[in-house]
Amino acid sequence: MVDPKSKEREKQQSRYKYTSEIQQMMFVFGEVADPLPETTMLVEDIVRSQVIEIIILAAAQAQKRGSKNMNAEDLIFLIRRDRAKVNRLRTYLSWKDIRKNVKDSGGNDAAEEMLEDPNAGDSADKPKAKRMNVKLSWELASSFLDALNDDDDENDEDEREAYADTLQRLKDADEITRAMTRDEYVHYSECRQASFTYRKAKRFREWANMAAYIDIKPNDDIIDILGFLTFEMVNTLTETALYIKHDNDLKDKMDGKKENHPREPEGFLFSPPPSEQTPLQPQHIHEAFRRLQRTPQPIKNFRGGLARTKVSLI
């Protein structure tokens, strides 16, 4: 006779395909090394629903252009109001293009050398490192790029903002890893490589049930952008939930409901030492997602009936 509990566990395992990756990502963003299974499953449910929402909206955007194929612009258009995220995505796509082109020209060694030193390809026998400039058709400046000198990336405002954002993230990572042992740091470094899509494109398409929403198999750029966005989603959810948990713990301390509360470090990261930190609970993730949803705008010319509440992308 089949054990009902075993059957339920197998059903969950078939549904949740990114438990390990989400655990690693959450740890990188300040969570404990082993988040609660129910918390990671909730995060995966939210991320999957967000990915499906993105695919549906991007497919609709492609149809408005009169195309059956969605492209990178259709995805970026959905997050166009989040300037910081768009800048990070542009930087990601630019360096991805460099890696691809240099690898095609000179192999893996040349690609690594080029990424470490952008000037390494200045000699005649090596490819020159030139970053792709990701142009977005709805931006006013894109209409005048042919008449403008767009060669100096260092003076580009978006480039500077993306660089500042990268520095801040590196500082945050430094705060997390400062007290780690060598083995802990090695584990942390491995966790930073976690991805929904890297060498997992088939699994990702099946997980998101992409065939139900788009007729044509998405290209590599679409998968890579979705992989970038899923990473950002886990980041946003985890950091927001940590803020909420920190505030709740402080409130409990003030109310006298919690004794011997561990000391909280100052600054952006609210995680106490790993030995004292408690894991995020599902209610922290629920509250984080609730806060990340925009307040619905008032309905104009309402004439009754049901109106679909728009899901905000995180």
Side-chain angles (χ1 to χ4, degrees):
M1 182 177 179
V2 179
D3 184 5
K5 292 184 178 180
S6 299
K7 190 174 181 180
E8 181 64 24
R9 280 196 299 268
E10 291 178 0
K11 184 178 179 180
Q12 286 189 349
Q13 289 175 354
S14 63
R15 177 181 176 184
Y16 297 99
K17 301 180 182 297
Y18 288 99
T19 300
S20 176
E21 289 83 355
I22 291 174
Q23 287 178 338
Q24 292 173 340
M25 291 180 187
M26 293 181 71
F27 172 60
V28 168
F29 302 137
E31 172 62 323
V32 298
D34 296 309
L36 297 176
E38 54 268 33
T39 302
T40 58
M41 288 190 292
L42 176 59
V43 171
E44 183 168 345
D45 283 335
I46 292 174
V47 172
R48 184 174 183 270
S49 67
Q50 290 274 292
V51 170
I52 292 174
E53 186 77 9
I54 288 173
I55 294 170
I56 292 174
L57 293 175
Q61 186 65 26
Q63 287 183 349
K64 291 179 181 178
R65 294 188 294 103
S67 173
K68 294 183 178 179
N69 302 330
M70 72 170 67
N71 59 25
E73 278 196 7
D74 294 324
L75 293 175
I76 300 175
F77 182 79
L78 301 177
I79 61 169
R80 65 193 182 281
R81 293 186 177 89
D82 190 339
R83 185 183 180 91
K85 188 174 293 182
V86 171
N87 289 339
R88 289 196 297 272
L89 180 55
R90 275 175 153 169
T91 302
Y92 168 78
L93 293 175
S94 297
W95 285 109
K96 172 179 173 288
D97 187 64
I98 285 181
R99 182 182 291 275
K100 178 179 181 298
N101 291 336
V102 176
K103 184 179 291 186
D104 291 343
S105 301
N108 294 334
D109 293 339
E112 294 299 330
E113 181 182 357
M114 189 70 72
L115 289 174
E116 293 176 3
D117 182 8
N119 297 319
D122 289 346
S123 61
D125 59 338
K126 292 182 180 180
K128 184 177 180 180
K130 182 174 177 60
R131 294 181 58 182
M132 174 185 65
N133 185 12
V134 181
K135 302 175 184 178
L136 304 177
S137 60
W138 58 85
E139 291 185 342
L140 181 61
S142 298
S143 303
F144 305 98
L145 284 180
D146 292 337
L148 297 175
N149 183 7
D150 194 49
D151 294 332
D152 192 357
D153 288 338
E154 294 180 356
N155 294 326
D156 184 79
E157 182 181 356
D158 291 340
E159 196 75 19
R160 291 196 298 270
E161 290 183 5
Y163 179 70
D165 181 76
T166 299
L167 285 182
Q168 182 59 53
R169 292 193 170 205
L170 290 174
K171 290 178 181 178
D172 296 339
D174 182 63
E175 288 294 328
I176 293 177
T177 59
R178 183 169 296 176
M180 287 184 178
T181 65
R182 179 177 179 178
D183 291 340
E184 289 173 341
Y185 184 78
V186 169
H187 174 64
Y188 176 87
S189 299
E190 293 174 350
C191 290
R192 290 189 67 182
Q193 308 304 316
S195 170
F196 278 77
T197 58
Y198 182 64
R199 295 182 177 177
K200 305 166 190 170
K202 181 179 178 182
R203 188 210 300 186
F204 184 82
R205 290 194 299 268
E206 293 174 351
W207 175 74
N209 195 22
M210 298 181 75
Y213 308 105
I214 52 178
D215 297 330
I216 300 176
K217 181 179 177 181
N219 59 37
D220 292 340
D221 285 341
I222 298 296
I223 297 296
D224 287 339
I225 293 175
L226 288 173
F228 171 89
L229 293 177
T230 50
F231 184 86
E232 292 281 321
M233 291 174 198
V234 178
N235 181 5
T236 304
L237 272 174
T238 303
E239 290 183 349
T240 306
L242 287 172
Y243 273 109
I244 292 168
K245 180 176 181 295
H246 170 72
D247 290 343
N248 290 347
D249 289 348
L250 283 182
K251 185 176 183 298
D252 289 341
K253 183 179 180 180
M254 296 296 293
D255 293 343
K257 296 179 181 179
K258 201 168 188 179
E259 297 180 359
N260 300 323
H261 186 80
R263 178 178 61 85
E264 301 282 359
E266 298 179 356
F268 171 76
L269 300 169
F270 296 118
S271 304
S275 60
E276 301 177 358
Q277 184 179 351
T278 56
L280 289 171
Q281 301 291 328
Q283 60 262 31
H284 298 135
I285 301 296
H286 276 297
E287 177 61 15
F289 184 65
R290 186 190 70 80
R291 294 187 186 184
L292 291 167
Q293 296 299 293
R294 294 193 301 268
T295 303
Q297 298 297 319
I299 301 175
K300 299 180 180 179
N301 301 322
F302 181 67
R303 298 178 180 177
L306 297 176
R308 180 177 182 268
T309 301
K310 184 177 180 180
V311 177
S312 298
L313 303 178
I314 59 173

